[in-house]
Amino acid sequence: MKKNLLLHVCCGVCASRVIEKLLPSYNITGFFYNPNIEPPDEYQHRLQATEILFNHYHLDLIRGDYETKTWHDAVTGFEHWAEGGRRCWRCFKLRLEETAELSDEKTFPCFATTLTVNPHKDAQFINNWGLYYAKLYNKKYVPINLSADDRYNLTIAKKLDLYRQKYCGCVYSANI
Ligand code: SF4
């Protein structure tokens, strides 16, 4: 029997690369929780792309709070680290812990994240923290480890004409 899985989604394009891989084994509910994304227009573009994707698959999507202050508080002191450094570690951890917490609140036995999909992200680091929070909340973390080809696959994104962002998400990655 398929298990219910809460999938943290960073953007529609990354999610488009993993949904079909998870669908045979899991009942997926999406969770768009990305208070790192600024400005608000950019946030809306990425949320809308995620909504288009989840509508396409007839899957539920939970919209997390757009709590930018929480994100800025989480990275205070590390704002100007290079991409991939400690600011990003905190950014990943915030989103993973919120996902673990919500999976607990809504009794999902499993959770996962699309954060590992982007070829510029350290998938091993993210998966290790996913496993850490899973243990903390007594959940199963499902690591998403795509092949190099799958990490660049745009088949569904092009078919649905999903918005493709030009920077990671925060003001520091956008230089705005
Ligand atoms: S560069 Fe990306 S992962 Fe790093 S802090 Fe900014 S939004 Fe988060």
Side-chain angles (χ1 to χ4, degrees):
M1 195 167 97
K2 285 190 193 182
K3 285 189 172 167
N4 294 336
L5 177 138
L6 185 65
L7 177 64
H8 169 257
V9 175
C10 59
C11 68
V13 173
C14 285
S16 75
R17 293 164 174 151
V18 300
I19 285 181
E20 290 205 20
K21 294 201 176 289
L22 290 173
L23 273 177
S25 311
Y26 297 98
N27 298 314
I28 302 169
T29 295
F31 179 42
F32 190 88
Y33 176 69
N34 302 293
N36 52 311
I37 302 170
E38 289 183 281
D41 279 1
E42 179 70 19
Y43 179 87
Q44 287 304 328
H45 287 315
R46 297 189 198 189
L47 173 59
Q48 278 164 12
T50 304
E51 288 169 341
I52 290 168
L53 182 74
F54 276 72
N55 283 340
H56 173 75
Y57 284 103
H58 305 289
L59 297 173
D60 290 336
L61 176 68
I62 299 171
R63 292 147 187 84
D65 293 335
Y66 184 38
E67 46 193 16
T68 52
K69 184 177 182 309
T70 301
W71 183 84
H72 282 280
D73 287 348
V75 303
T76 297
F78 301 92
E79 294 90 335
H80 300 294
W81 277 68
E83 197 163 328
R86 290 193 177 187
R87 184 187 71 238
C88 299
W89 301 356
R90 288 169 171 246
C91 180
F92 297 144
K93 286 167 64 180
L94 176 74
R95 290 182 280 168
L96 282 167
E97 181 160 25
E98 186 75 9
T99 308
E101 242 180 65
L102 187 68
S103 66
D104 198 35
E105 190 187 312
K106 297 206 175 281
T107 65
F108 285 89
C110 318
F111 72 93
T113 180
T114 61
L115 283 170
T116 58
V117 173
N118 185 309
H120 304 295
K121 299 286 181 277
D122 184 344
Q124 184 68 51
F125 177 89
I126 294 164
N127 284 334
N128 285 343
W129 278 103
L131 291 167
Y132 171 85
Y133 287 119
K135 199 169 174 192
L136 206 62
Y137 286 88
N138 199 23
K139 299 287 158 191
K140 182 184 174 204
Y141 175 73
V142 178
I144 310 276
N145 290 310
L146 298 185
S147 68
D149 282 352
D150 285 340
R151 288 178 104 179
Y152 285 101
N153 188 340
L154 286 169
T155 311
I156 305 290
K158 282 186 174 166
K159 183 176 160 193
L160 299 177
D161 195 23
L162 298 183
Y163 173 72
R164 292 168 66 183
Q165 62 262 20
K166 296 182 176 49
Y167 61 99
C168 187
C170 66
V171 285
Y172 309 108
S173 61
N175 287 322
I176 49 178

